[in-house]
Amino acid sequence: AAAGPCGFSRRGVLAQARAARRSGAVPMLVMTWSVRGEADAGEAARATLRAAREARLKVIPVGLAFELAEKTGRAALRMPDGRHPSAAGTYLYGAVLYASLFGRSPEGLGCRGGCEKPLEPALARFLQGCAWKAVTDFNAGQDGPERRRPGDPDPQPLSPF
């Protein structure tokens, strides 16, 4: 099947979700950031949501956190190629994963990363806040493209253990 606007195929997402469930895993789909200059962020988000709904997957809204953080200009989240994350972008990705998986704010966590070097404390705090806002807004259906439908299951945080 042909890849969609965000680089994955609907059929592939469905097949991977089935395989993960058969093995006892809880499958999820990461909404990534769009590639600078190549993709429409809104279309990539909509494609991710369509695939996630069809496959009944929880969405991890990393792309929304990138959009939120990039609006401020406080952090360079991408490498010069516009595609790959910088150390700050990788940190933000991890903070969104933490918030999505555990249902808790990453704000106040002491880890500041170590990809290239630890982030400055103020930048780490800013990215933690962006991650939590993106996850909570997305899960509430505010400021994000997801709208829960009647009968949709309530989002449940995963246990850290």
Side-chain angles (χ1 to χ4, degrees):
C6 48
F8 60 80
S9 75
R10 180 188 142 279
R11 203 174 335 168
V13 169
L14 291 169
Q16 292 298 316
R18 280 191 301 272
R21 285 188 180 100
R22 275 194 308 271
S23 74
V26 176
M28 297 176 200
L29 188 59
V30 173
M31 179 189 294
T32 62
W33 55 96
S34 61
V35 176
R36 189 178 300 128
E38 287 185 20
D40 171 25
E43 180 52 33
R46 286 186 294 277
T48 300
L49 291 171
R50 282 191 301 270
R53 279 193 181 116
E54 188 170 356
R56 298 179 337 270
L57 299 172
K58 177 182 175 95
V59 174
I60 311 294
V62 176
L64 296 179
F66 261 65
E67 185 178 311
L68 180 64
E70 286 182 329
K71 283 180 184 176
T72 69
R74 287 184 61 184
L77 301 179
R78 304 164 191 252
M79 298 301 286
D81 67 4
R83 174 180 309 269
H84 295 95
S86 65
T90 301
Y91 184 87
L92 179 59
Y93 193 132
V96 173
L97 282 172
Y98 177 91
S100 296
L101 294 174
F102 301 122
R104 292 192 294 238
S105 175
E107 295 169 300
L109 293 177
C111 176
R112 294 187 288 127
C115 258
E116 296 160 4
K117 61 183 179 179
L119 298 179
E120 292 296 321
L123 178 57
R125 283 191 303 274
F126 167 72
L127 295 174
Q128 290 168 355
C130 288
W132 186 237
K133 179 166 178 38
V135 169
T136 56
D137 284 357
F138 181 80
N139 288 339
Q142 302 168 9
D143 298 331
E146 179 180 73
R147 297 290 179 260
R148 294 189 46 222
R149 299 176 180 163
D152 281 354
D154 288 332
Q156 297 295 317
L158 299 178
S159 168
F161 303 103

